[in-house]
């Protein structure tokens, strides 16, 4: 496997206008900007990241990233140089002006957090009176500006019975995805009572069913619970979700940058792999003992014996938080391995290198090269499969538009990554 940082989450600040009960970096109104990377340091880090991967998906988050005065400057710098930039926010500060600024900077999408459709629960969970109303109003502005958005929810005992309605509501709002996160005991989340393992299984089974029901309309994913893949494999073996090259991508295809420039394997795994103020991104990514341990070490306990170890492999952050070992078995999983042959992921999967089998015209290839590296191989295969079914041997911009128009999602207001904005 080639280890490429396809997705990088960047917590730009610990400052936040809310103080959510589960926040993994304990962000809040009392935090300051004292230790944050300065603008020029951020731009230098962007250059170093792009030297390792010219087309990553870069997630700018916080705390609340909209509190950084230079957010659009950092976003524009990265987007203009080849990164696909998205922003993760609590949504309460997304005014018309801020949304316009993000679009002008080249931001391709926004993830907003909604943990309940009951203000009494959402506002209390996030310690912000009126925050649900503010975030819902922001979704209307995002729709008006035609900027894609994702709804993100953390599954808890308090909203477990509401998850199906939240997914349905997200689709009705026009979300491109509904991401259901599972608690990792780090930051303030360490003080919360988590779902019991049998409850994990029930929620994951629901999510596996819903991802099939909503296919073509909205993506549904489980986050920080890779045993979701086992449920999808059992219930929907043809699901495109199974096109992953690796188990949990923590430290292999994914990493996190902290506000003060530390590099960690993922946002929920605070163990530091290196310091970007004294080392380059490439040096840490390629040589960190922590990253090498995750990539080369054998999974422990039942995760190491499980036939789903390549599709799932357990959450490394949860293993570290609860067992103190990044390679330990994920304690949230109830599944007992059956001693069956290890299940291999799809041959062409997310993160795969793209080797064209058909002829791509230069403009079509330029559009493909402009999408995030982690989806390029999968997109290219689907495009070429489409062409072969129709007896075509060359991929052109016209064919890409034809594929777009035939997709089940209404792309009259939204475009997939491989269609340039010049087609508007």
């Amino acid at each position: 496997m080639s280890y490429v940082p396809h997705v990088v989450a960047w917590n730009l600040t610990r400052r936040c206008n809310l103080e959510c009960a589960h926040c993994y970096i304990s962000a809040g109104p009392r935090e300051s900007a004292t230790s944050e990377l300065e603008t020029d340091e951020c731009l230098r880090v962007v250059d170093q990241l792009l030297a390792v991967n010219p087309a990553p998906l870069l997630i700018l988050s916080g705390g609340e990233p909209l509190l950084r005065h230079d957010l659009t400057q950092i976003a524009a710098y990265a987007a203009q140089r080849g990164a696909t930039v998205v922003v993760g926010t609590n949504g309460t500060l997304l005014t018309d002006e801020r949304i316009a600024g993000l679009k002008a900077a080249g931001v391709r999408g926004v993830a907003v957090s909604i943990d309940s459709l009951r203000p009494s629960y959402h506002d209390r969970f996030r310690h912000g009176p009126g925050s649900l109303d503010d975030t819902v109003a922001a979704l209307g502005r995002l729709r008006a500006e035609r900027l894609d958005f994702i709804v993100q929810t953390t599954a808890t005992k308090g909203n477990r019975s509401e998850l199906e309605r939240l997914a349905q509501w997200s689709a009705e709002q026009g979300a491109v995805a509904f991401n259901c996160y599972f608690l990792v005991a780090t930051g303030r989340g360490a003080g919360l009572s988590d779902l019991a393992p049998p409850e994990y299984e029930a929620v994951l089974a629901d999510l596996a069913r819903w991802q099939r029901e909503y296919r073509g309309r909205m993506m549904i994913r489980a986050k920080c619970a890779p045993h979701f893949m086992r449920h999808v494999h059992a219930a929907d073996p043809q699901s495109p979700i199974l096109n992953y090259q690796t188990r949990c991508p923590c430290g292999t295809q994914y990493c996190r940058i902290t506000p003060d420039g530390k590099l960690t394997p993922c946002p929920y795994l605070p163990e530091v792999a290196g310091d970007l103020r004294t080392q380059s991104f490439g040096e840490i990514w390629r040589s960190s003992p922590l990253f090498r341990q995750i990539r080369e070490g054998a999974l422990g306990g039942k995760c190491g014996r499980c036939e789903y170890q390549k599709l799932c492999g357990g959450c490394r952050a949860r293993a570290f938080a609860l067992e103190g070992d990044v390679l330990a078995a994920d304690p949230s999983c109830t599944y007992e391995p059956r001693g069956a042959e290890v299940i291999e992921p799809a041959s062409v999967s997310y993160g795969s290198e793209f080797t064209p089998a058909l002829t791509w015209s230069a403009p079509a290839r330029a559009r493909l090269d402009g999408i995030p590296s982690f989806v390029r191989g999968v997109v290219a295969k689907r495009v070429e499969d489409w062409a072969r079914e129709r007896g075509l041997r060359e991929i052109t911009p016209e064919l890409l538009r034809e594929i777009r128009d035939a997709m089940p999602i209404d792309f009259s207001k939204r475009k997939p990554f491989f269609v340039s904005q010049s087609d508007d």
Side-chain angles (χ1 to χ4, degrees):
M1 182 184 297
S2 61
Y3 299 107
V4 177
H6 292 296
V7 182
V8 177
W10 193 340
N11 297 124
L12 287 170
T13 181
R14 281 190 171 85
R15 290 174 286 148
C16 191
N17 58 318
L18 301 179
E19 197 168 12
C20 304
H22 65 313
C23 183
Y24 59 85
I25 61 168
S26 301
R30 290 181 290 277
E31 296 293 328
S32 74
T34 303
S35 64
E36 292 174 6
L37 294 177
E38 300 289 344
T39 305
D40 60 341
E41 292 179 294
C42 291
L43 303 186
R44 174 177 54 79
V45 169
V46 169
D47 286 337
Q48 293 177 358
L49 165 61
L50 297 181
V52 178
N53 179 9
L57 176 64
L58 182 60
I59 305 168
L60 301 180
S61 184
E64 178 45 64
L66 291 171
L67 294 178
R68 288 256 334 199
H69 68 87
D70 55 357
L71 173 63
T72 53
Q73 182 180 353
I74 296 168
Y77 188 87
Q80 290 165 6
R81 285 160 178 75
T84 296
V85 181
V86 297
V87 169
T89 169
N90 62 46
T92 60
L93 305 180
L94 282 171
T95 62
D96 289 327
E97 293 75 18
R98 299 309 299 271
I99 293 171
L102 294 175
K103 283 191 67 175
V107 170
R108 301 291 292 273
V110 174
V112 300
S113 299
I114 295 180
D115 293 297
S116 174
L117 298 177
R118 294 169 287 141
S120 60
Y121 182 88
H122 177 94
D123 294 358
R124 184 176 68 252
F125 190 71
R126 294 190 168 267
H127 291 194
S131 59
L132 177 61
D133 288 343
D134 290 343
T135 302
V136 172
L139 297 187
R141 299 186 193 105
L142 291 168
R143 283 195 302 273
E145 289 294 328
R146 295 167 63 172
L147 186 59
D148 284 351
F149 63 87
I150 290 170
V151 172
Q152 308 202 127
T153 295
T154 297
T156 66
K157 293 180 179 179
N159 68 3
R160 166 67 183 96
S161 63
E162 200 176 353
L163 294 177
E164 184 171 13
R165 175 58 187 143
L166 276 164
Q168 180 186 34
W169 180 85
S170 299
E172 292 167 354
Q173 296 298 306
V176 298
F178 174 73
N179 287 340
C180 185
Y181 279 78
F182 290 78
L183 186 70
V184 176
T186 186
R188 279 197 295 271
L192 290 183
S193 177
D194 196 9
L195 297 173
E199 295 174 300
Y200 266 71
E201 292 295 308
V203 176
L204 291 171
D206 286 343
L207 291 167
R209 185 174 70 255
W210 299 337
Q211 64 83 27
R212 185 170 187 172
E213 292 174 2
Y214 284 90
R215 190 174 305 155
R217 182 181 178 193
M218 180 183 74
M219 292 185 294
I220 290 184
R221 301 290 186 270
K223 298 294 183 178
C224 305
H227 27 320
F228 173 58
M229 306 296 266
R230 167 169 51 82
H231 284 271
V232 173
H233 186 269
D236 186 16
Q238 300 306 312
S239 173
I241 291 177
L242 297 172
N243 284 333
Y244 281 86
Q245 186 182 20
T246 180
R247 59 196 193 213
C248 170
C250 161
T252 61
Q253 298 186 339
Y254 179 47
C255 62
R256 180 270 296 257
I257 302 170
T258 68
D260 58 350
K262 305 298 192 298
L263 201 63
T264 80
C266 91
Y268 303 93
L269 208 169
E271 192 78 348
V272 173
D275 188 342
L276 290 166
R277 280 185 158 136
T278 59
Q279 303 166 271
S280 73
F281 183 95
E283 176 188 353
I284 301 170
W285 178 260
R286 296 186 182 102
S287 305
S288 161
L290 177 59
F291 284 152
R292 293 188 66 176
Q293 178 188 12
I294 291 173
R295 295 166 189 172
E296 300 170 9
L299 293 177
K302 65 182 182 181
C303 282
R305 304 190 307 271
C306 186
E307 63 268 30
Y308 290 99
Q309 61 183 264
K310 291 188 177 180
L311 287 182
C312 168
C315 175
R316 299 301 96 219
R318 188 172 293 105
F320 181 79
L322 298 180
E323 304 293 338
D325 180 359
V326 295
L327 295 174
D330 184 342
S332 70
C333 180
T334 64
Y335 183 76
E336 289 298 330
R338 299 176 181 175
E341 184 177 349
V342 173
I343 297 168
E344 296 289 339
S347 58
V348 177
S349 55
Y350 294 106
S352 295
E353 298 267 344
F354 169 55
T355 302
L358 302 181
T359 300
W360 287 67
S361 71
R365 183 58 193 257
R367 293 181 188 183
L368 183 69
D369 289 344
I371 73 172
S373 59
F374 80 100
V375 297
R376 192 176 299 149
V378 171
V379 169
K381 181 179 184 303
R382 292 176 183 169
V383 167
E384 292 195 348
D385 287 347
W386 177 282
R388 285 194 193 91
E389 290 171 3
R390 287 151 183 79
L392 303 175
R393 289 291 176 266
E394 182 178 12
I395 310 301
T396 65
E398 292 74 23
L399 179 63
L400 296 181
R401 282 194 290 272
E402 181 183 339
I403 296 172
R404 176 198 67 190
D405 292 342
M407 285 182 174
I409 296 176
D410 178 7
F411 280 105
S412 60
K413 297 181 180 179
R414 174 185 309 153
K415 291 186 182 299
F417 287 121
F418 58 76
V419 180
S420 74
Q421 296 302 309
S422 63
D423 291 330
D424 283 330

